Amino acid sequence: MAFRMFYEQDCDVSKLDGKKVAIIGYGSQGHAHALNLKDSGVNVRVALREGSASKAKAESQGLEVVSNAEAAAWADIIMILINDEFQAAMYKKDIEPQLAPGKTLAFAHGFNIHFGCIEVRKDCNVIMVAPKAPGHTVRSEYLAGKGTPCLVCAHQDATGDAFDLALAYGAAIGGARAALLETDFRTETETDLFGEQNVLCGGVTDLMEAGFNTLVEAGYDPRNAYFECIHEMKLIVDLIYESGFTGMRYSISNTAEYGDYTAGPNVITEAAKEGMRHNLRRVQNGEFAKEFLLDMSDESHQVHFKALRRAAAESLMERTGKEIRKMYAWNDEDKLINN
């Protein structure tokens, strides 16, 4: 299916005039959406659960904080930006009882709508505005007068202008300065999960660790292996981000470029591609969603998830990296976690 692209001239931000927008959650995406909307002149409030540690931060940044239920009753547009695994229960408890005809439910990821965890009454809109970057980048690009591309769509159009509202919202958070790409909930959900699992996270991290372990098993110093297989990844990705594969290959040595063409296929073999196809099928048929939600449930206590996280954090590669990063001159600048 071919989707359309939209830019600032295609978006009528005045569609948000007089609209009240509630942002549910104040994490990476939540803070960026709320602050960008506020700076664009939109009437916005932040909704947080009782006792949230984010309340003081949101209030210090000039935002009014209310409960989820209060926000849902007050708002015309309700953007849900808490973790996927918490959305359905929160929606059932706090949002659904406060809905009225003509309200708009908005999401930045299609997981709960696509897999049927949340079903919204038919007299309300359901839209998506999904920035293709972490929230901190969404905010910093907006402040720099630029923007982050977003995926947008209207899944349920009760008022006749749901897609126009999605475009207006996308423009108000800065996305239309770059581009707004039309999509649908199925496409966004399945491609997002596939990309995360097979390339951006699961694929890249497994590839880097496999390279590290191959060198260490061959007798090389783990620190040397870390520099070659982990540290330099950012340099390559930055070049690709700026100029694509062609630009990256222009910037590296002929030796590296030749090895790129000839050695890569020995790693990403047909077996690896079949593994990707298998993982895509698990996303498409709902197996991954079912497994994930089961492990995230109160009954399961995230036992499997936490075990995986602990094992990964204790690997030789991570222990080596912790020591290597202490040498970096920028080690204490803007760190996400202290390790």
Side-chain angles (χ1 to χ4, degrees):
M1 179 177 179
F3 292 117
R4 298 170 292 173
M5 298 279 279
F6 298 87
Y7 303 92
E8 285 188 292
Q9 65 268 24
D10 305 311
C11 306
D12 182 6
V13 183
S14 70
K15 293 288 295 183
L16 299 180
D17 290 352
K19 298 287 188 186
K20 296 171 288 188
V21 180
I23 303 297
I24 312 292
Y26 204 67
S28 175
Q29 288 292 334
H31 92 282
H33 286 235
L35 292 172
N36 290 6
L37 289 169
K38 176 176 173 286
D39 288 351
S40 292
V42 177
N43 186 6
V44 60
R45 292 179 182 175
V46 172
L48 296 171
R49 57 179 172 76
E50 186 67 29
S52 172
S54 298
K55 181 178 180 181
K57 180 180 179 182
E59 289 178 337
S60 72
Q61 295 176 317
L63 293 158
E64 182 176 351
V65 178
V66 296
S67 71
N68 293 334
E70 289 172 324
W74 169 80
D76 301 300
I77 300 173
I78 304 160
M79 170 60 86
I80 300 177
L81 293 172
I82 61 173
N83 287 6
D84 289 332
E85 64 268 28
F86 301 139
Q87 288 187 14
M90 184 280 299
Y91 173 82
K92 199 72 178 174
K93 175 178 175 288
D94 296 330
I95 307 299
E96 190 173 53
Q98 308 299 331
L99 291 182
K103 287 191 181 248
T104 298
L105 269 293
F107 298 82
H109 180 38
F111 187 101
N112 278 275
I113 292 293
H114 177 59
F115 291 118
C117 305
I118 292 177
E119 295 184 5
V120 180
R121 50 191 283 179
K122 297 300 181 184
D123 56 6
C124 291
N125 297 327
V126 178
I127 66 172
M128 179 193 297
V129 182
K132 300 315 295 175
H136 294 88
T137 303
V138 175
R139 180 59 177 161
S140 63
E141 289 293 283
Y142 179 94
L143 290 173
K146 297 182 286 186
T148 299
C150 299
L151 303 181
V152 296
C153 70
H155 176 74
Q156 194 165 287
D157 187 3
T159 61
D161 63 349
F163 188 68
D164 291 335
L165 288 173
L167 291 178
Y169 186 107
I173 63 171
R177 298 172 181 174
L180 304 177
L181 172 63
E182 183 183 21
T183 187
D184 57 47
F185 271 69
R186 180 190 67 82
T187 298
E188 187 280 333
T189 302
E190 293 177 356
T191 57
D192 186 74
L193 292 176
F194 174 83
E196 289 170 350
Q197 295 171 22
N198 296 272
V199 182
L200 306 178
C201 302
V204 166
T205 57
D206 271 15
L207 181 66
M208 293 163 75
E209 187 161 11
F212 172 88
N213 288 336
T214 299
L215 288 177
V216 171
E217 289 164 6
Y220 296 98
D221 188 312
R223 294 167 296 182
N224 192 235
Y226 190 91
F227 275 120
E228 296 300 336
C229 297
I230 315 299
H231 170 81
E232 291 195 35
M233 178 63 77
K234 181 185 185 309
L235 310 178
I236 296 300
V237 170
D238 282 350
L239 290 170
I240 295 171
Y241 182 82
E242 293 168 5
S243 306
F245 283 3
T246 300
M248 177 272 290
R249 287 164 175 155
Y250 174 82
S251 299
I252 61 179
S253 69
N254 287 344
T255 313
E257 184 180 358
Y258 186 84
D260 174 2
Y261 300 134
T262 59
N266 293 329
V267 178
I268 306 303
T269 62
E270 184 57 33
K273 294 173 186 175
E274 179 51 39
M276 289 186 176
R277 289 189 283 268
H278 170 76
N279 290 340
L280 177 57
R281 289 192 293 270
R282 292 189 71 244
V283 166
Q284 292 171 327
N285 65 23
E287 285 182 23
F288 170 78
K290 182 178 179 180
E291 177 186 310
F292 171 72
L293 291 174
L294 179 62
D295 201 26
M296 293 294 115
S297 68
D298 292 339
E299 293 79 12
S300 296
H301 304 292
Q302 300 184 5
V303 171
H304 183 230
F305 176 63
K306 290 177 180 177
L308 292 171
R309 174 185 283 170
R310 185 168 55 251
E314 294 171 354
S315 70
L316 175 61
M317 182 192 70
E318 281 294 83
R319 287 185 279 118
T320 301
K322 186 174 182 179
E323 294 304 311
I324 290 288
R325 290 189 296 274
K326 289 178 180 178
M327 300 188 301
Y328 295 172
W330 60 89
N331 184 58
D332 293 324
E333 297 178 12
D334 300 322
K335 291 182 68 174
L336 293 176
I337 57 174
N338 291 318
N339 77 0

